[in-house]
Amino acid sequence: MLRFLTAGESHGQALVATLDGCPAGLALSPDAITRQLTRRQGGYGRGRRMAIETDRAEWISGVRHGVTTGAPIALIVRNKDWVNWQQTMFVEPSMPDGATGVVKPAVTRPRPGHADLAGAVKYGHEDIRDVLERASARETTMRVAIGSVARQLLERFGIRIASHVTTIGDVSIAPDRLVSFAEADALPDDGPLHCVDAAAETRMKTAIDVAGKAGDTLGGAFEVIVTGVPVGLGSYVQWDRKLDGKLAQAVMSIHAIKAVGLGIGPEVAVRPGSGVHDEILKATAEGVLPVRRPTNRAGGLEGGVTNGEDLRITGYMKPISTLMTPLRSVDLNTLTEEPAAIERSDVCAVPAAAVVAEAMVALVIADALLEKFGADSVEEIARNLAATSTAVAGRFHRTAPSA
Ligand code: EPS
């Protein structure tokens, strides 16, 4: 239902994205997009590039007078740093008059962990810059911009998304600490690491300082929480309709993410069934379903279908692969062992990755919402949601709770 493509290089003129399938009738807030872009730029451990950029999205189609028309939405974010890179990023005949910046030497020493080596071999590039400019995580700017549109659609129907950082390097919040949506949502946008445990956050900052001083980098983990999700998104009937699979793919596609967990994630492998599955009890309060779940270890999905509990998705990020104290590599021109190339980079970007994951999750959930409740207009979705709510209530001989 919802599809998007991005284009753009890290130091190119601009980043662009097209979102296809957004229903008509959604009032879009540019400030809400800016807020998400600013959140993505933040976090303790980010590098100097973020002091150069002030990411702002302009929409150039699919919106009239602030309201979506149902046509594809195209967004553009201009790279401020472009002025310093025109000579490096453009070749004749497209070099603009008065281009500034110096021509950087070819990158020939691949960074272990980056797409450098595999990408250069795959596409036959002599200069690894042809790989790294597109493989760069700067691309996630557009996922966040487009994700903010999906997020505004979800918010229209009471579905909200937040995240928090659980781990940086060897520092984690207590493993049994269950963070509520409200707690994650209350974290300030400009906080250093978006961690709910202030003492752990201080230790995380120290760990980033230590890694940075050593020319090293740090990864970590974050949890995305989605609340207000209707029952029945996704399906168990076919492998490619399972929503857990779609969420895992979407989050795994973010740069440097090496594992994704739903609910208690890898813990399911070591606990007995009684410590994994969430019992079903009779409801004590009015809700869509006449039952309640005392725990949510499943993370809001059973059989690849949403069950009405909060969605909980954890992403595990490896340390960034540009090390200021470089790892060993081989110069692909001379075939001599040399330290890997150094590019300006971040020491830790886990808080930024969490914001990107929120965006990717928003896109997947919005897509599932459109699949189940109609895809053409916001009004149509509202009608179908209300009708389904009434039908579910009728199934249990109850009255639908008012929306
Ligand atoms: C950026 C993410 C990182 C930064 C990049 C901006 O991308 P990469 O995956 O290439 O390390 O390094 O900034 C630069 C390339 C730079 O010139 O500093 C982002 O999230 O915007």
Side-chain angles (χ1 to χ4, degrees):
M1 299 286 150
L2 263 190
R3 302 178 294 166
F4 75 96
L5 286 175
T6 70
E9 276 77 40
S10 180
H11 302 98
Q13 195 162 355
L15 303 158
V16 296
T18 305
L19 177 69
D20 185 55
C22 185
L26 178 69
L28 274 186
S29 154
D31 290 348
I33 300 180
T34 302
R35 178 185 167 200
Q36 297 307 330
L37 291 174
T38 306
R39 287 179 72 222
R40 193 202 72 92
Q41 286 200 263
Y44 197 75
R46 290 288 252 159
R48 282 177 294 130
R49 176 77 183 274
M50 290 304 109
I52 298 172
E53 303 294 344
T54 316
D55 292 336
R56 289 281 179 280
E58 298 160 45
W59 53 60
I60 48 183
S61 74
V63 184
R64 279 191 67 224
H65 305 292
V67 181
T68 59
T69 63
I73 297 172
L75 293 175
I76 180 166
V77 172
R78 295 177 201 279
N79 284 321
K80 279 194 181 169
D81 206 15
W82 153 247
V83 292
N84 306 313
W85 286 77
Q86 292 173 78
Q87 298 270 6
T88 299
M89 294 303 295
F90 264 90
V91 288
E92 295 292 357
S94 51
M95 179 90 83
D97 285 345
T100 54
V102 293
V103 180
K104 305 243 179 201
V107 181
T108 56
R109 292 167 286 127
R111 292 161 295 170
H114 215 284
D116 295 357
L117 176 62
V121 173
K122 178 177 169 68
Y123 290 100
H125 292 310
E126 298 282 326
D127 182 354
I128 291 171
R129 180 156 304 285
D130 287 326
V131 177
L132 68 87
E133 283 290 336
R134 180 59 188 161
S136 167
R138 179 125 187 91
E139 183 264 348
T140 60
T141 309
M142 296 324 292
R143 304 202 203 187
V144 170
I146 288 294
S148 168
V149 175
R151 185 177 191 129
Q152 292 183 55
L153 174 67
L154 295 176
E155 280 168 6
R156 166 69 181 72
F157 297 105
I159 305 168
R160 298 174 60 217
I161 303 179
S163 70
H164 63 103
V165 168
T166 61
T167 301
I168 298 286
D170 62 2
V171 184
S172 288
I173 63 170
D176 56 351
R177 174 87 154 80
L178 186 71
V179 176
S180 68
F181 174 83
E183 277 179 287
D185 192 46
L187 288 167
D189 283 358
D190 57 358
L193 289 167
H194 307 147
C195 178
V196 293
D197 178 333
E201 190 169 63
T202 303
R203 295 202 305 280
M204 290 171 175
K205 282 176 69 182
T206 305
I208 292 170
D209 290 341
V210 170
K213 281 201 185 87
D216 215 329
T217 54
L218 279 185
F222 55 81
E223 186 183 41
V224 177
I225 310 172
V226 192
T227 199
V229 188
V231 183
L233 302 188
S235 178
Y236 57 86
V237 303
Q238 201 59 264
W239 69 271
D240 59 352
R241 294 183 58 195
K242 286 175 172 261
L243 198 62
D244 43 10
K246 291 184 184 184
L247 286 166
Q249 199 271 332
V251 176
M252 188 73 107
S253 76
I254 301 167
H255 305 69
I257 301 299
K258 299 302 281 182
V260 179
L262 295 171
I264 59 170
E267 264 287 305
V268 298
V270 293
R271 294 193 194 183
S274 56
V276 170
H277 303 299
D278 306 302
E279 291 184 302
I280 303 172
L281 307 179
K282 202 162 177 311
T284 49
E286 173 137 330
V288 176
L289 296 182
V291 298
R292 68 184 171 92
R293 315 301 288 269
T295 54
N296 180 19
R297 299 172 188 131
L301 288 150
E302 288 165 305
V305 182
T306 56
N307 62 9
E309 300 294 311
D310 285 354
L311 289 178
R312 306 188 76 100
I313 304 128
T314 298
Y316 301 85
M317 185 182 195
K318 70 181 178 181
I320 282 169
S321 45
T322 306
L323 273 64
M324 295 302 142
T325 305
L327 297 173
R328 290 180 296 175
S329 183
V330 168
D331 188 309
L332 298 185
N333 282 353
T334 60
L335 297 187
T336 51
E337 282 191 7
E338 303 272 357
I342 297 177
E343 290 285 313
R344 187 174 58 193
S345 192
D346 309 313
V347 177
C348 177
V350 176
V355 177
V356 179
E358 288 179 26
M360 291 304 289
V361 166
L363 285 156
V364 172
I365 304 303
D367 179 63
L369 186 84
L370 297 179
E371 181 190 60
K372 183 154 173 64
F373 296 108
D376 292 334
S377 71
V378 165
E379 200 185 284
E380 183 183 14
I381 300 169
R383 253 192 334 262
N384 292 341
L385 255 168
T388 302
S389 200
T390 305
V392 171
R395 152 89 172 74
F396 296 112
H397 313 290
R398 290 150 62 103
T399 315
S402 47

